[in-house]
Amino acid sequence: MIRKEMIAMLLAGGQGSRLGVLTSGVAKPAVAFGGKYRIIDFPLSNCINSGIDTVGVLTQYQPLRLNTHIGIGIPWDLDRNKGGVTVLPPYEKSANSEWYTGTANAIYQNLNYMESYNPEYVLILSGDHIYKMDYEVMLDFHKENNADVTIAAMPVPLEEASRFGIVIADENKKINDFEEKPEHPRSNLASMGIYIFTWKVLKEALIAMSEQNGCDFGKHIIPYCHEKGQRLFAYEYNGYWKDVGTLGSYWEANMELIDLIPEFNLYEEFWKIYTKSDIICPQYISPDSSVERSIIGEGTEIYGQVYGSVIGAGVTIGKGTVVRDSIIMRDTVIGENVVIDKSIIAENCRVGDGCQLGVGEEAPNKLNASVYSFGLVTVGEDSVIPAGVKIGKNTAISGSTAPEDYPDGLLASGEYIIKAGDRV
C-alpha cells in the first residue's frame, strides 16, 4: 500500500438527538442542508479541496442513507484504487463485538485501517459541522511548530465558553492547558473537534487509553497527551463554522444561506461543495406563483408563494399556499391553501389542503422543551398531516397522523404527536 502523508478519519455515527424527530430514522450527518446537500458533504468537500484523498467514514447510528449517499465517493472524487473513501461501521471481532462507545474508541477500533496506510499524520473530523477549511494550511502549521497534536480552535464569546472544550495557549499558540466545558473558563478559544495528530503519538495514546469507558478525545486523549508532555498547539480559525446540532442552529444556518450576501457562500468557484446529485427534471415555478429570497431545489413545482425559505428537490407546493421562513426537504408534497410559518418539514412528508402550521403564541414543549423550542414546528420524515388542521409553535409531529389525533382540529403550541416506533 502506498504511504499517505495524511489521512482523514471522519466521525459520522452521530445520533443527533437534539434534532428530535429529524433524526428518528437517519444519522445527523445525513440530514439535508441547504436544499441540495447533506451535512456530511461539507467535511468531505473540505477534504478533497485540501488535497486529502484518503478518508475513513465511521458510521454507527442509522447508517443506511449515509452509506447510500457516500457510495464509492464519486461526487467528491474519492473513488480511488489506493485510498479514496471507506465506510467503517463497527464490526464483529473474534473475541467480541462492541459498538463505538466514544469518539476516540471509534478511532481505536479502526487502528488496522490507519495502520494499512502508515500515514505521517491523521486528521480527525466531525461529520456534523458546516464550514469551509483548508486542512493543508492547518497541516503546515502543525509541521512548522513541530507539533504532536494540533487542535483547531475558534474564539467564542466568553459567556458561551463553558459549553465547549477550551484551550489555554500562549502567544505562540502552544497549549498550556485544556479544559472540557469549564464552569469558569480561562480562555475563549474553543476546540472545534478538528485535530491533527502525528500518527505515532495518536497510536500510542489510543492504545494507552483503550480501557477507558467511552474513550473520548476531549475527555481522555487530549489530556493524556498533555500529561505526557507532548507538544500541543492551537490552530486559530476565524471563518464561518456552525454546529447544527440543535433545531434552532440548524434552522438558523439554513436561513443564513438566503441572505443577500450570505456569510457562508455556497457559490464560490475556488472552494466548491460537492454532493451526490440525482438526475431530475428542472424546477417549475408557475406564472401565478411568487418566490422571494429563497433556495429552490431541482424538480420542485411551485404553484403558491414562497418567502425566505429553503426548499429541497422534488417538492410540490400547491396553489394558494404560502410558505414563510421554513425548510421543506425533498419529495415533500404541500397541498393547496396551506399556510406554513417557521417550520422544518423533513423528507417525503404530506401536508393536506388548508392546514396552518406555526399558529398562536409560543408554549414550552411538553415532550422535550429543550429540543422542540425556538418557536418552530418540526415534522419528521414520512409524516402525514391531514387536511384542515392547525398546528401551534414548539410542536413535533412524526408518523402518519389522522384527524382524530388533533382535538378540535388543533395541535396546540407545545404539544406533540409521535407515532409508535418513532424516536423522540
Side-chain angles (χ1 to χ4, degrees):
M1 180 85 59
I2 293 175
R3 186 175 192 191
K4 301 283 183 180
E5 182 184 35
M6 183 161 77
I7 65 170
M9 299 294 279
L10 179 51
L11 294 155
Q15 188 170 318
S17 55
R18 290 178 300 156
L19 290 179
V21 294
L22 294 188
T23 50
S24 59
V26 61
K28 182 163 66 167
V31 170
F33 183 85
K36 178 174 184 170
Y37 305 97
R38 298 195 184 277
I39 294 170
I40 198 169
D41 292 337
F42 295 87
L44 280 176
S45 297
N46 287 341
C47 284
I48 203 64
N49 287 330
S50 302
I52 298 167
D53 64 6
T54 304
V55 184
V57 180
L58 288 75
T59 64
Q60 178 158 288
Y61 172 77
Q62 297 279 16
L64 179 61
R65 187 168 303 159
L66 200 59
N67 295 353
T68 305
H69 181 68
I70 294 168
I72 58 170
I74 291 172
W76 305 273
D77 192 27
L78 287 170
D79 52 325
R80 315 230 168 171
N81 289 331
K82 294 182 170 61
V85 67
T86 306
V87 175
L88 300 167
Y91 60 93
E92 192 162 341
K93 300 140 187 100
S94 55
N96 67 331
S97 74
E98 59 176 306
W99 291 104
Y100 297 150
T101 58
T103 54
N105 174 265
I107 302 294
Y108 169 73
Q109 289 195 45
N110 288 283
L111 273 176
N112 289 345
Y113 170 80
M114 294 182 286
E115 192 82 80
S116 69
Y117 292 103
N118 190 24
E120 290 179 59
Y121 309 100
V122 177
L123 171 67
I124 309 292
L125 301 171
S126 171
D128 51 13
H129 298 149
I130 306 294
Y131 67 107
K132 297 175 186 174
M133 183 190 281
D134 190 339
Y135 304 131
E136 205 165 22
V137 176
M138 184 176 170
L139 179 60
D140 289 342
F141 175 87
H142 183 87
K143 292 176 182 174
E144 284 162 15
N145 288 288
N146 192 26
D148 295 307
V149 186
T150 297
I151 302 173
M154 67 184 296
V156 297
L158 196 59
E159 60 271 17
E160 292 180 25
S162 57
R163 292 173 40 220
F164 300 93
I166 295 296
V167 298
I168 294 100
D170 63 19
E171 64 276 8
N172 298 314
K173 299 300 178 194
K174 188 172 191 293
I175 295 172
N176 297 319
D177 208 351
F178 184 86
E179 301 174 325
E180 183 68 17
K181 298 182 179 176
E183 195 174 336
H184 304 290
R186 289 184 281 148
S187 155
N188 72 329
L189 263 188
S191 168
M192 299 166 66
I194 300 167
Y195 313 102
I196 290 178
F197 284 85
T198 300
W199 166 230
K200 66 177 190 296
V201 170
L202 175 63
K203 184 178 174 182
E204 193 265 323
L206 288 172
I207 292 169
M209 301 299 284
S210 63
E211 297 303 314
Q212 287 288 339
N213 189 34
C215 190
D216 186 81
F217 279 98
K219 291 179 188 157
H220 302 107
I221 300 297
I222 301 299
Y224 172 84
C225 291
H226 182 57
E227 286 163 18
K228 293 287 283 187
Q230 308 284 11
R231 290 175 60 81
L232 275 66
F233 281 80
Y235 172 74
E236 189 169 330
Y237 174 80
N238 286 287
Y240 181 97
W241 180 84
K242 199 91 165 183
D243 178 351
V244 288
T246 66
L247 289 170
S249 62
Y250 173 80
W251 178 83
E252 197 175 74
N254 274 273
M255 293 299 108
E256 286 170 352
L257 297 175
I258 54 180
D259 287 343
L260 196 59
I261 303 172
E263 189 182 348
F264 187 73
N265 191 344
L266 290 172
Y267 308 102
E268 290 170 333
E269 273 299 309
F270 68 93
W271 200 270
K272 289 183 177 173
I273 305 299
Y274 301 94
T275 189
K276 176 178 178 248
S277 292
D278 297 325
I279 299 169
I280 41 185
C281 58
Q283 59 195 210
Y284 173 74
I285 298 172
S286 81
D288 302 326
S289 65
S290 172
V291 177
E292 291 180 11
R293 209 173 58 86
S294 296
I295 291 172
I296 309 294
E298 298 161 302
T300 283
E301 298 178 22
I302 295 181
Y303 302 93
Q305 300 167 56
V306 179
Y307 305 111
S309 295
V310 175
I311 311 295
V315 170
T316 301
I317 294 175
K319 195 183 289 188
T321 287
V322 180
V323 179
R324 298 186 198 93
D325 305 325
S326 294
I327 301 163
I328 300 177
M329 299 184 202
R330 64 182 302 145
D331 298 327
T332 283
V333 177
I334 310 294
E336 297 186 354
N337 302 311
V338 176
V339 177
I340 297 176
D341 277 305
K342 202 176 176 186
S343 300
I344 303 174
I345 302 178
E347 300 182 30
N348 198 37
C349 290
R350 301 290 177 269
V351 179
D353 296 346
C355 289
Q356 295 180 43
L357 279 67
V359 302
E361 298 297 314
E362 286 191 37
N365 185 270
K366 293 178 180 177
L367 176 68
N368 193 327
S370 62
V371 169
Y372 301 111
S373 52
F374 317 103
L376 290 160
V377 177
T378 308
V379 182
E381 63 179 31
D382 301 321
S383 295
V384 176
I385 298 173
V389 301
K390 294 181 180 180
I391 297 168
K393 296 169 181 174
N394 295 335
T395 48
I397 295 170
S398 179
S400 185
T401 64
E404 53 267 26
D405 295 317
Y406 301 82
D408 301 318
L410 172 69
L411 184 69
S413 292
E415 297 287 348
Y416 63 93
I417 305 171
I418 309 285
K419 291 297 186 177
D422 282 320
R423 193 180 62 78
V424 295

